[in-house]
mmCIF file of all heavy atoms in Angstrom:
data_model
loop_
_atom_site.group_PDB
_atom_site.id
_atom_site.type_symbol
_atom_site.label_atom_id
_atom_site.label_comp_id
_atom_site.label_asym_id
_atom_site.label_seq_id
_atom_site.Cartn_x
_atom_site.Cartn_y
_atom_site.Cartn_z
ATOM 1 N N GLN X 1 -14.154 -16.535 -16.633
ATOM 2 C CA GLN X 1 -14.034 -16.962 -18.076
ATOM 3 C C GLN X 1 -13.452 -18.379 -18.209
ATOM 4 O O GLN X 1 -13.902 -19.236 -18.967
ATOM 5 C CB GLN X 1 -13.208 -15.993 -18.839
ATOM 6 C CG GLN X 1 -13.898 -14.626 -19.034
ATOM 7 C CD GLN X 1 -13.003 -13.451 -19.211
ATOM 8 O OE1 GLN X 1 -11.760 -13.596 -19.310
ATOM 9 N NE2 GLN X 1 -13.523 -12.282 -19.106
ATOM 10 N N LEU X 2 -12.468 -18.648 -17.338
ATOM 11 C CA LEU X 2 -11.903 -20.004 -17.348
ATOM 12 C C LEU X 2 -12.910 -20.999 -16.939
ATOM 13 O O LEU X 2 -12.927 -22.121 -17.472
ATOM 14 C CB LEU X 2 -10.678 -20.004 -16.359
ATOM 15 C CG LEU X 2 -9.505 -19.166 -16.747
ATOM 16 C CD1 LEU X 2 -8.412 -19.214 -15.597
ATOM 17 C CD2 LEU X 2 -8.827 -19.546 -18.037
ATOM 18 N N GLU X 3 -13.743 -20.681 -15.971
ATOM 19 C CA GLU X 3 -14.763 -21.608 -15.522
ATOM 20 C C GLU X 3 -15.799 -21.978 -16.600
ATOM 21 O O GLU X 3 -16.425 -23.039 -16.549
ATOM 22 C CB GLU X 3 -15.498 -21.051 -14.329
ATOM 23 C CG GLU X 3 -14.561 -20.967 -13.031
ATOM 24 C CD GLU X 3 -15.222 -20.225 -11.924
ATOM 25 O OE1 GLU X 3 -16.360 -19.747 -12.057
ATOM 26 O OE2 GLU X 3 -14.575 -20.131 -10.879
ATOM 27 N N ARG X 4 -15.926 -21.065 -17.637
ATOM 28 C CA ARG X 4 -16.830 -21.353 -18.771
ATOM 29 C C ARG X 4 -16.073 -21.991 -19.867
ATOM 30 O O ARG X 4 -16.571 -22.138 -20.986
ATOM 31 C CB ARG X 4 -17.496 -20.077 -19.225
ATOM 32 C CG ARG X 4 -18.469 -19.550 -18.134
ATOM 33 C CD ARG X 4 -19.335 -18.487 -18.708
ATOM 34 N NE ARG X 4 -18.566 -17.307 -19.187
ATOM 35 C CZ ARG X 4 -18.288 -16.208 -18.415
ATOM 36 N NH1 ARG X 4 -18.729 -16.192 -17.119
ATOM 37 N NH2 ARG X 4 -17.629 -15.166 -18.863
ATOM 38 N N GLY X 5 -14.746 -22.346 -19.678
ATOM 39 C CA GLY X 5 -13.965 -22.953 -20.730
ATOM 40 C C GLY X 5 -13.365 -22.021 -21.675
ATOM 41 O O GLY X 5 -12.801 -22.471 -22.757
ATOM 42 N N SER X 6 -13.360 -20.698 -21.434
ATOM 43 C CA SER X 6 -12.811 -19.728 -22.345
ATOM 44 C C SER X 6 -11.443 -19.291 -21.851
ATOM 45 O O SER X 6 -11.302 -18.737 -20.763
ATOM 46 C CB SER X 6 -13.755 -18.547 -22.442
ATOM 47 O OG SER X 6 -13.332 -17.623 -23.410
ATOM 48 N N ILE X 7 -10.446 -19.499 -22.696
ATOM 49 C CA ILE X 7 -9.096 -19.154 -22.268
ATOM 50 C C ILE X 7 -8.559 -17.892 -22.938
ATOM 51 O O ILE X 7 -7.316 -17.556 -22.831
ATOM 52 C CB ILE X 7 -8.112 -20.341 -22.604
ATOM 53 C CG1 ILE X 7 -8.196 -20.701 -24.047
ATOM 54 C CG2 ILE X 7 -8.453 -21.502 -21.685
ATOM 55 C CD1 ILE X 7 -7.170 -21.730 -24.415
ATOM 56 N N PHE X 8 -9.483 -17.149 -23.627
ATOM 57 C CA PHE X 8 -9.116 -15.829 -24.102
ATOM 58 C C PHE X 8 -10.203 -14.895 -23.586
ATOM 59 O O PHE X 8 -11.348 -15.209 -23.387
ATOM 60 C CB PHE X 8 -9.076 -15.820 -25.605
ATOM 61 C CG PHE X 8 -7.944 -16.614 -26.187
ATOM 62 C CD1 PHE X 8 -8.137 -17.858 -26.697
ATOM 63 C CD2 PHE X 8 -6.652 -16.103 -26.106
ATOM 64 C CE1 PHE X 8 -7.042 -18.518 -27.257
ATOM 65 C CE2 PHE X 8 -5.570 -16.846 -26.616
ATOM 66 C CZ PHE X 8 -5.813 -18.080 -27.231
ATOM 67 N N PRO X 9 -9.848 -13.610 -23.389
ATOM 68 C CA PRO X 9 -10.816 -12.631 -22.922
ATOM 69 C C PRO X 9 -11.877 -12.292 -23.914
ATOM 70 O O PRO X 9 -11.693 -12.598 -25.134
ATOM 71 C CB PRO X 9 -9.931 -11.407 -22.601
ATOM 72 C CG PRO X 9 -8.723 -11.519 -23.394
ATOM 73 C CD PRO X 9 -8.488 -13.004 -23.547
ATOM 74 N N PRO X 10 -12.980 -11.660 -23.513
ATOM 75 C CA PRO X 10 -14.020 -11.308 -24.448
ATOM 76 C C PRO X 10 -13.530 -10.350 -25.567
ATOM 77 O O PRO X 10 -12.699 -9.490 -25.341
ATOM 78 C CB PRO X 10 -15.052 -10.554 -23.592
ATOM 79 C CG PRO X 10 -14.802 -11.050 -22.233
ATOM 80 C CD PRO X 10 -13.311 -11.253 -22.116
ATOM 81 N N LEU X 11 -13.973 -10.626 -26.824
ATOM 82 C CA LEU X 11 -13.596 -9.752 -27.883
ATOM 83 C C LEU X 11 -14.030 -8.270 -27.653
ATOM 84 O O LEU X 11 -13.489 -7.352 -28.287
ATOM 85 C CB LEU X 11 -14.227 -10.273 -29.237
ATOM 86 C CG LEU X 11 -13.549 -11.619 -29.753
ATOM 87 C CD1 LEU X 11 -14.436 -12.159 -30.808
ATOM 88 C CD2 LEU X 11 -12.131 -11.337 -30.224
ATOM 89 N N THR X 12 -15.029 -8.065 -26.822
ATOM 90 C CA THR X 12 -15.456 -6.718 -26.610
ATOM 91 C C THR X 12 -14.393 -5.906 -25.827
ATOM 92 O O THR X 12 -14.507 -4.644 -25.772
ATOM 93 C CB THR X 12 -16.761 -6.754 -25.740
ATOM 94 O OG1 THR X 12 -16.560 -7.577 -24.627
ATOM 95 C CG2 THR X 12 -17.900 -7.313 -26.568
ATOM 96 N N GLU X 13 -13.431 -6.574 -25.321
ATOM 97 C CA GLU X 13 -12.356 -5.854 -24.619
ATOM 98 C C GLU X 13 -11.114 -5.556 -25.509
ATOM 99 O O GLU X 13 -10.056 -5.161 -24.996
ATOM 100 C CB GLU X 13 -11.829 -6.646 -23.408
ATOM 101 C CG GLU X 13 -12.944 -6.962 -22.381
ATOM 102 C CD GLU X 13 -12.484 -7.866 -21.274
ATOM 103 O OE1 GLU X 13 -11.263 -8.078 -21.189
ATOM 104 O OE2 GLU X 13 -13.249 -8.215 -20.396
ATOM 105 N N LEU X 14 -11.282 -5.685 -26.824
ATOM 106 C CA LEU X 14 -10.122 -5.671 -27.671
ATOM 107 C C LEU X 14 -9.314 -4.321 -27.609
ATOM 108 O O LEU X 14 -8.121 -4.348 -27.684
ATOM 109 C CB LEU X 14 -10.560 -5.910 -29.187
ATOM 110 C CG LEU X 14 -10.571 -7.363 -29.589
ATOM 111 C CD1 LEU X 14 -11.034 -7.458 -31.036
ATOM 112 C CD2 LEU X 14 -9.190 -7.995 -29.467
ATOM 113 N N ARG X 15 -9.998 -3.234 -27.519
ATOM 114 C CA ARG X 15 -9.306 -1.963 -27.438
ATOM 115 C C ARG X 15 -8.416 -1.938 -26.224
ATOM 116 O O ARG X 15 -7.223 -1.469 -26.307
ATOM 117 C CB ARG X 15 -10.267 -0.793 -27.477
ATOM 118 C CG ARG X 15 -11.097 -0.631 -28.755
ATOM 119 C CD ARG X 15 -10.303 0.118 -29.781
ATOM 120 N NE ARG X 15 -10.292 1.551 -29.541
ATOM 121 C CZ ARG X 15 -9.957 2.486 -30.497
ATOM 122 N NH1 ARG X 15 -9.710 2.078 -31.767
ATOM 123 N NH2 ARG X 15 -9.942 3.782 -30.221
ATOM 124 N N ASN X 16 -8.930 -2.307 -25.080
ATOM 125 C CA ASN X 16 -8.129 -2.259 -23.877
ATOM 126 C C ASN X 16 -7.063 -3.362 -23.872
ATOM 127 O O ASN X 16 -5.957 -3.115 -23.357
ATOM 128 C CB ASN X 16 -9.034 -2.510 -22.647
ATOM 129 C CG ASN X 16 -9.900 -1.250 -22.339
ATOM 130 O OD1 ASN X 16 -9.498 -0.160 -22.671
ATOM 131 N ND2 ASN X 16 -11.033 -1.452 -21.818
ATOM 132 N N ILE X 17 -7.330 -4.533 -24.478
ATOM 133 C CA ILE X 17 -6.298 -5.563 -24.614
ATOM 134 C C ILE X 17 -5.165 -5.037 -25.493
ATOM 135 O O ILE X 17 -4.007 -5.185 -25.131
ATOM 136 C CB ILE X 17 -6.920 -6.799 -25.268
ATOM 137 C CG1 ILE X 17 -7.884 -7.444 -24.327
ATOM 138 C CG2 ILE X 17 -5.870 -7.810 -25.672
ATOM 139 C CD1 ILE X 17 -8.807 -8.561 -24.998
ATOM 140 N N SER X 18 -5.526 -4.326 -26.609
ATOM 141 C CA SER X 18 -4.490 -3.861 -27.505
ATOM 142 C C SER X 18 -3.640 -2.734 -26.757
ATOM 143 O O SER X 18 -2.473 -2.664 -26.943
ATOM 144 C CB SER X 18 -5.131 -3.212 -28.742
ATOM 145 O OG SER X 18 -5.705 -4.272 -29.497
ATOM 146 N N LEU X 19 -4.355 -1.994 -25.933
ATOM 147 C CA LEU X 19 -3.554 -0.980 -25.180
ATOM 148 C C LEU X 19 -2.588 -1.549 -24.181
ATOM 149 O O LEU X 19 -1.462 -1.195 -24.036
ATOM 150 C CB LEU X 19 -4.570 -0.056 -24.474
ATOM 151 C CG LEU X 19 -3.982 1.075 -23.571
ATOM 152 C CD1 LEU X 19 -3.106 2.002 -24.470
ATOM 153 C CD2 LEU X 19 -5.084 1.849 -22.932
ATOM 154 N N ASP X 20 -3.034 -2.673 -23.503
ATOM 155 C CA ASP X 20 -2.143 -3.373 -22.561
ATOM 156 C C ASP X 20 -0.962 -4.006 -23.368
ATOM 157 O O ASP X 20 0.233 -3.881 -22.920
ATOM 158 C CB ASP X 20 -2.913 -4.564 -21.962
ATOM 159 C CG ASP X 20 -3.827 -4.042 -20.886
ATOM 160 O OD1 ASP X 20 -3.889 -2.914 -20.507
ATOM 161 O OD2 ASP X 20 -4.683 -4.958 -20.352
ATOM 162 N N ILE X 21 -1.245 -4.543 -24.484
ATOM 163 C CA ILE X 21 -0.175 -5.174 -25.315
ATOM 164 C C ILE X 21 0.796 -4.104 -25.852
ATOM 165 O O ILE X 21 1.999 -4.279 -25.790
ATOM 166 C CB ILE X 21 -0.747 -6.065 -26.447
ATOM 167 C CG1 ILE X 21 -1.441 -7.276 -25.869
ATOM 168 C CG2 ILE X 21 0.326 -6.416 -27.419
ATOM 169 C CD1 ILE X 21 -2.190 -8.102 -26.802
ATOM 170 N N ALA X 22 0.239 -3.008 -26.306
ATOM 171 C CA ALA X 22 1.072 -1.968 -26.833
ATOM 172 C C ALA X 22 1.985 -1.374 -25.728
ATOM 173 O O ALA X 22 3.184 -1.182 -26.050
ATOM 174 C CB ALA X 22 0.163 -0.823 -27.388
ATOM 175 N N GLU X 23 1.463 -1.226 -24.578
ATOM 176 C CA GLU X 23 2.336 -0.769 -23.479
ATOM 177 C C GLU X 23 3.444 -1.781 -23.152
ATOM 178 O O GLU X 23 4.643 -1.461 -22.985
ATOM 179 C CB GLU X 23 1.497 -0.535 -22.237
ATOM 180 C CG GLU X 23 2.334 0.113 -21.063
ATOM 181 C CD GLU X 23 1.402 0.356 -19.811
ATOM 182 O OE1 GLU X 23 0.280 -0.179 -19.766
ATOM 183 O OE2 GLU X 23 1.896 1.125 -19.024
ATOM 184 N N ALA X 24 3.108 -3.060 -23.125
ATOM 185 C CA ALA X 24 4.053 -4.102 -22.845
ATOM 186 C C ALA X 24 5.138 -4.152 -23.943
ATOM 187 O O ALA X 24 6.370 -4.295 -23.673
ATOM 188 C CB ALA X 24 3.420 -5.502 -22.713
ATOM 189 N N VAL X 25 4.753 -4.031 -25.239
ATOM 190 C CA VAL X 25 5.657 -4.069 -26.340
ATOM 191 C C VAL X 25 6.567 -2.847 -26.312
ATOM 192 O O VAL X 25 7.753 -2.908 -26.529
ATOM 193 C CB VAL X 25 4.891 -4.133 -27.622
ATOM 194 C CG1 VAL X 25 5.786 -3.831 -28.789
ATOM 195 C CG2 VAL X 25 4.263 -5.550 -27.754
ATOM 196 N N ALA X 26 6.014 -1.645 -26.000
ATOM 197 C CA ALA X 26 6.768 -0.420 -25.949
ATOM 198 C C ALA X 26 7.826 -0.469 -24.857
ATOM 199 O O ALA X 26 8.958 -0.082 -25.015
ATOM 200 C CB ALA X 26 5.839 0.726 -25.785
ATOM 201 N N LEU X 27 7.370 -1.011 -23.659
ATOM 202 C CA LEU X 27 8.321 -1.137 -22.550
ATOM 203 C C LEU X 27 9.503 -2.069 -22.894
ATOM 204 O O LEU X 27 10.662 -1.738 -22.615
ATOM 205 C CB LEU X 27 7.589 -1.692 -21.294
ATOM 206 C CG LEU X 27 6.692 -0.731 -20.536
ATOM 207 C CD1 LEU X 27 5.899 -1.450 -19.490
ATOM 208 C CD2 LEU X 27 7.668 0.387 -19.888
ATOM 209 N N LYS X 28 9.158 -3.159 -23.667
ATOM 210 C CA LYS X 28 10.201 -4.077 -24.092
ATOM 211 C C LYS X 28 11.228 -3.342 -25.038
ATOM 212 O O LYS X 28 12.390 -3.631 -25.014
ATOM 213 C CB LYS X 28 9.615 -5.325 -24.660
ATOM 214 C CG LYS X 28 10.577 -6.483 -24.875
ATOM 215 C CD LYS X 28 11.224 -6.945 -23.577
ATOM 216 C CE LYS X 28 10.271 -7.594 -22.613
ATOM 217 N NZ LYS X 28 11.007 -8.187 -21.470
ATOM 218 N N ALA X 29 10.598 -2.541 -25.886
ATOM 219 C CA ALA X 29 11.405 -1.818 -26.822
ATOM 220 C C ALA X 29 12.463 -0.869 -26.148
ATOM 221 O O ALA X 29 13.582 -0.767 -26.509
ATOM 222 C CB ALA X 29 10.497 -0.953 -27.763
ATOM 223 N N TYR X 30 11.973 -0.250 -25.065
ATOM 224 C CA TYR X 30 12.878 0.603 -24.286
ATOM 225 C C TYR X 30 13.957 -0.248 -23.587
ATOM 226 O O TYR X 30 15.108 0.043 -23.565
ATOM 227 C CB TYR X 30 12.087 1.420 -23.266
ATOM 228 C CG TYR X 30 11.458 2.675 -23.898
ATOM 229 C CD1 TYR X 30 10.091 2.721 -23.966
ATOM 230 C CD2 TYR X 30 12.187 3.713 -24.518
ATOM 231 C CE1 TYR X 30 9.411 3.887 -24.548
ATOM 232 C CE2 TYR X 30 11.595 4.817 -25.075
ATOM 233 C CZ TYR X 30 10.212 4.824 -25.051
ATOM 234 O OH TYR X 30 9.580 5.942 -25.680
ATOM 235 N N GLU X 31 13.518 -1.367 -22.995
ATOM 236 C CA GLU X 31 14.411 -2.290 -22.385
ATOM 237 C C GLU X 31 15.586 -2.764 -23.243
ATOM 238 O O GLU X 31 16.713 -2.910 -22.836
ATOM 239 C CB GLU X 31 13.707 -3.513 -21.758
ATOM 240 C CG GLU X 31 12.884 -3.233 -20.546
ATOM 241 C CD GLU X 31 12.067 -4.536 -20.091
ATOM 242 O OE1 GLU X 31 12.528 -5.617 -20.480
ATOM 243 O OE2 GLU X 31 11.106 -4.387 -19.376
ATOM 244 N N GLN X 32 15.188 -3.020 -24.509
ATOM 245 C CA GLN X 32 16.125 -3.542 -25.510
ATOM 246 C C GLN X 32 16.801 -2.479 -26.404
ATOM 247 O O GLN X 32 17.450 -2.839 -27.301
ATOM 248 C CB GLN X 32 15.407 -4.594 -26.323
ATOM 249 C CG GLN X 32 14.938 -5.787 -25.542
ATOM 250 C CD GLN X 32 14.215 -6.828 -26.384
ATOM 251 O OE1 GLN X 32 13.369 -6.556 -27.249
ATOM 252 N NE2 GLN X 32 14.661 -8.072 -26.256
ATOM 253 N N ASN X 33 16.574 -1.232 -25.989
ATOM 254 C CA ASN X 33 17.187 -0.108 -26.761
ATOM 255 C C ASN X 33 16.751 -0.141 -28.209
ATOM 256 O O ASN X 33 17.516 0.154 -29.120
ATOM 257 C CB ASN X 33 18.729 -0.174 -26.643
ATOM 258 C CG ASN X 33 19.224 0.105 -25.255
ATOM 259 O OD1 ASN X 33 18.662 0.945 -24.560
ATOM 260 N ND2 ASN X 33 20.218 -0.692 -24.819
ATOM 261 N N LEU X 34 15.534 -0.450 -28.484
ATOM 262 C CA LEU X 34 14.953 -0.539 -29.825
ATOM 263 C C LEU X 34 14.000 0.602 -30.060
ATOM 264 O O LEU X 34 13.487 0.738 -31.179
ATOM 265 C CB LEU X 34 14.279 -1.840 -30.075
ATOM 266 C CG LEU X 34 15.130 -3.104 -29.947
ATOM 267 C CD1 LEU X 34 14.300 -4.368 -30.083
ATOM 268 C CD2 LEU X 34 16.190 -3.034 -31.049
ATOM 269 N N ALA X 35 13.724 1.452 -29.079
ATOM 270 C CA ALA X 35 12.815 2.599 -29.229
ATOM 271 C C ALA X 35 13.612 3.823 -29.662
ATOM 272 O O ALA X 35 14.660 4.123 -29.036
ATOM 273 C CB ALA X 35 12.082 2.852 -28.007
ATOM 274 N N ARG X 36 13.117 4.541 -30.630
ATOM 275 C CA ARG X 36 13.788 5.716 -31.158
ATOM 276 C C ARG X 36 13.279 7.028 -30.597
ATOM 277 O O ARG X 36 13.886 8.104 -30.781
ATOM 278 C CB ARG X 36 13.780 5.725 -32.643
ATOM 279 C CG ARG X 36 14.740 4.644 -33.315
ATOM 280 C CD ARG X 36 14.584 4.624 -34.863
ATOM 281 N NE ARG X 36 13.353 3.986 -35.230
ATOM 282 C CZ ARG X 36 13.028 3.665 -36.522
ATOM 283 N NH1 ARG X 36 13.870 3.921 -37.458
ATOM 284 N NH2 ARG X 36 11.815 3.063 -36.752
ATOM 285 N N TYR X 37 12.089 6.978 -29.935
ATOM 286 C CA TYR X 37 11.530 8.176 -29.270
ATOM 287 C C TYR X 37 11.998 8.138 -27.805
ATOM 288 O O TYR X 37 12.176 7.050 -27.174
ATOM 289 C CB TYR X 37 10.018 8.169 -29.291
ATOM 290 C CG TYR X 37 9.422 8.437 -30.622
ATOM 291 C CD1 TYR X 37 8.020 8.124 -30.910
ATOM 292 C CD2 TYR X 37 10.171 8.986 -31.667
ATOM 293 C CE1 TYR X 37 7.484 8.324 -32.139
ATOM 294 C CE2 TYR X 37 9.596 9.278 -32.970
ATOM 295 C CZ TYR X 37 8.214 8.945 -33.214
ATOM 296 O OH TYR X 37 7.703 9.195 -34.403
ATOM 297 N N PRO X 38 12.147 9.329 -27.162
ATOM 298 C CA PRO X 38 12.482 9.398 -25.755
ATOM 299 C C PRO X 38 11.387 8.759 -24.895
ATOM 300 O O PRO X 38 10.226 8.878 -25.327
ATOM 301 C CB PRO X 38 12.605 10.967 -25.540
ATOM 302 C CG PRO X 38 12.818 11.538 -26.865
ATOM 303 C CD PRO X 38 12.160 10.657 -27.805
ATOM 304 N N HIS X 39 11.740 8.165 -23.804
ATOM 305 C CA HIS X 39 10.824 7.539 -22.939
ATOM 306 C C HIS X 39 9.977 8.674 -22.289
ATOM 307 O O HIS X 39 10.446 9.525 -21.667
ATOM 308 C CB HIS X 39 11.575 6.802 -21.793
ATOM 309 C CG HIS X 39 10.665 5.785 -21.118
ATOM 310 N ND1 HIS X 39 9.394 6.071 -20.505
ATOM 311 C CD2 HIS X 39 10.806 4.425 -20.959
ATOM 312 C CE1 HIS X 39 8.915 4.982 -20.008
ATOM 313 N NE2 HIS X 39 9.690 3.971 -20.258
ATOM 314 N N PRO X 40 8.604 8.586 -22.492
ATOM 315 C CA PRO X 40 7.689 9.601 -21.985
ATOM 316 C C PRO X 40 7.514 9.375 -20.458
ATOM 317 O O PRO X 40 7.819 8.295 -19.895
ATOM 318 C CB PRO X 40 6.374 9.449 -22.751
ATOM 319 C CG PRO X 40 6.468 7.934 -23.058
ATOM 320 C CD PRO X 40 7.808 7.602 -23.235
ATOM 321 N N ASP X 41 7.002 10.399 -19.797
ATOM 322 C CA ASP X 41 6.719 10.291 -18.327
ATOM 323 C C ASP X 41 5.598 9.297 -18.054
ATOM 324 O O ASP X 41 5.628 8.512 -17.136
ATOM 325 C CB ASP X 41 6.218 11.635 -17.784
ATOM 326 C CG ASP X 41 7.388 12.699 -17.780
ATOM 327 O OD1 ASP X 41 8.592 12.232 -17.733
ATOM 328 O OD2 ASP X 41 7.084 13.875 -17.856
ATOM 329 N N ASP X 42 4.575 9.214 -19.002
ATOM 330 C CA ASP X 42 3.493 8.291 -18.858
ATOM 331 C C ASP X 42 3.246 7.614 -20.195
ATOM 332 O O ASP X 42 2.641 8.166 -21.042
ATOM 333 C CB ASP X 42 2.237 9.055 -18.409
ATOM 334 C CG ASP X 42 1.091 8.075 -18.018
ATOM 335 O OD1 ASP X 42 0.992 6.960 -18.603
ATOM 336 O OD2 ASP X 42 0.295 8.418 -17.091
ATOM 337 N N LEU X 43 3.896 6.423 -20.286
ATOM 338 C CA LEU X 43 3.889 5.703 -21.550
ATOM 339 C C LEU X 43 2.413 5.339 -21.990
ATOM 340 O O LEU X 43 2.024 5.494 -23.121
ATOM 341 C CB LEU X 43 4.770 4.472 -21.493
ATOM 342 C CG LEU X 43 4.803 3.535 -22.780
ATOM 343 C CD1 LEU X 43 5.353 4.355 -23.915
ATOM 344 C CD2 LEU X 43 5.673 2.397 -22.508
ATOM 345 N N ARG X 44 1.697 4.824 -21.061
ATOM 346 C CA ARG X 44 0.275 4.364 -21.341
ATOM 347 C C ARG X 44 -0.508 5.551 -21.818
ATOM 348 O O ARG X 44 -1.254 5.404 -22.796
ATOM 349 C CB ARG X 44 -0.330 3.727 -20.149
ATOM 350 C CG ARG X 44 -1.651 3.032 -20.489
ATOM 351 C CD ARG X 44 -2.254 2.338 -19.268
ATOM 352 N NE ARG X 44 -3.503 1.619 -19.516
ATOM 353 C CZ ARG X 44 -3.543 0.364 -19.930
ATOM 354 N NH1 ARG X 44 -2.452 -0.282 -20.137
ATOM 355 N NH2 ARG X 44 -4.735 -0.185 -20.134
ATOM 356 N N GLU X 45 -0.395 6.681 -21.189
ATOM 357 C CA GLU X 45 -1.085 7.869 -21.557
ATOM 358 C C GLU X 45 -0.759 8.319 -22.972
ATOM 359 O O GLU X 45 -1.592 8.711 -23.790
ATOM 360 C CB GLU X 45 -0.920 9.056 -20.564
ATOM 361 C CG GLU X 45 -1.736 10.241 -20.905
ATOM 362 C CD GLU X 45 -1.505 11.323 -19.822
ATOM 363 O OE1 GLU X 45 -0.420 11.339 -19.212
ATOM 364 O OE2 GLU X 45 -2.346 12.154 -19.659
ATOM 365 N N LEU X 46 0.538 8.241 -23.274
ATOM 366 C CA LEU X 46 1.069 8.601 -24.618
ATOM 367 C C LEU X 46 0.388 7.703 -25.679
ATOM 368 O O LEU X 46 -0.132 8.188 -26.695
ATOM 369 C CB LEU X 46 2.538 8.435 -24.757
ATOM 370 C CG LEU X 46 3.106 8.546 -26.098
ATOM 371 C CD1 LEU X 46 3.086 9.985 -26.622
ATOM 372 C CD2 LEU X 46 4.545 7.982 -26.185
ATOM 373 N N ILE X 47 0.404 6.375 -25.455
ATOM 374 C CA ILE X 47 -0.191 5.476 -26.448
ATOM 375 C C ILE X 47 -1.703 5.705 -26.559
ATOM 376 O O ILE X 47 -2.199 5.702 -27.692
ATOM 377 C CB ILE X 47 0.099 4.001 -26.057
ATOM 378 C CG1 ILE X 47 1.669 3.727 -26.031
ATOM 379 C CG2 ILE X 47 -0.632 2.983 -26.955
ATOM 380 C CD1 ILE X 47 2.058 2.394 -25.436
#
């Protein structure tokens, strides 16, 4: 994608991109003690 001058991934990947971001945001919430739900065994699967 970079070789074609595109610095963002294809829009067709939005659902998976959002899942990646949601997991990263949720992990950060746990790191910063901002999550009010208990940490699940598999966070990505939960989301």
Side-chain angles (χ1 to χ4, degrees):
Q1 291 153 8
L2 296 176
E3 291 171 0
R4 296 192 295 269
S6 185
I7 55 173
F8 292 103
L11 289 168
T12 52
E13 299 177 8
L14 271 177
R15 292 277 284 198
N16 288 329
I17 293 167
S18 294
L19 181 58
D20 287 353
I21 289 174
E23 184 178 17
V25 167
L27 283 171
K28 190 61 66 173
Y30 283 113
E31 286 178 19
Q32 297 182 310
N33 295 317
L34 297 175
R36 289 174 286 187
Y37 287 164
H39 199 305
D41 293 334
D42 190 327
L43 179 59
R44 189 178 184 87
E45 183 178 24
L46 169 74
I47 297 170

